[in-house]
Amino acid sequence: MSGTAAWACPYTDFPLVEIRPDRPVRVWANRVRGAKAVAVHGDRVTFYGGYREERDRLAHGELTETSVEPTDVGLLTLPNGSAPGRRRVVSRGSRIYVQAEPFTAWGVFDLSS
């Protein structure tokens, strides 16, 4: 949820969906599979996570009229350079929050910065 918009990337085709109370639902075709979180800022979008070896993937894209067009792919790492391992993930608006084991602090990826 971001302000009055909720964003989702539902199983099985994983379209990007925007839901607002003041207008019809919008849907963009998307090729990124298995994301655990999504951040949106303007016409930019980032998906975090995926299946198997893509569990730490950050897949970036741009919104067109009908689809999410991929622009870049990277890996999310902790400040020490390691992979997060077991973690909790939530997202809201332009931010993806990750809490890695031992679950004592949250890290933030902010697409707007």
Side-chain angles (χ1 to χ4, degrees), residues 39-58:
V40 180
H41 182 71
D43 65 350
R44 297 182 307 149
V45 60
T46 296
F47 301 95
Y48 173 59
Y51 298 121
R52 296 180 193 86
E53 67 278 351
E54 294 181 329
R55 66 179 284 148
D56 297 316
R57 171 191 62 196
L58 284 170

Side-chain angles (χ1 to χ4, degrees), residues 26-110:
R26 292 187 67 188
V27 178
W28 291 266
N30 173 37
R31 291 178 262 169
V32 176
R33 302 292 184 239
K36 306 297 182 237
V38 61
V40 180
H41 182 71
D43 65 350
R44 297 182 307 149
V45 60
T46 296
F47 301 95
Y48 173 59
Y51 298 121
R52 296 180 193 86
E53 67 278 351
E54 294 181 329
R55 66 179 284 148
D56 297 316
R57 171 191 62 196
L58 284 170
H60 307 283
E62 291 186 2
L63 299 177
T64 68
E65 282 297 314
T66 60
S67 66
V68 177
E69 292 302 316
T71 58
D72 195 18
V73 176
L75 292 176
L76 181 77
T77 59
L78 298 175
N80 67 6
S82 68
R86 289 189 46 172
R87 73 251 189 235
R88 297 175 181 141
V89 180
V90 295
S91 59
R92 183 176 178 98
S94 66
R95 294 180 178 162
I96 298 173
Y97 301 88
V98 179
Q99 187 183 53
E101 197 170 40
F103 308 118
T104 57
W106 288 92
V108 179
F109 168 84
D110 192 342

Side-chain angles (χ1 to χ4, degrees), residues 5-17:
W7 295 89
C9 192
Y11 187 78
T12 64
D13 290 331
F14 302 100
L16 180 63
V17 178

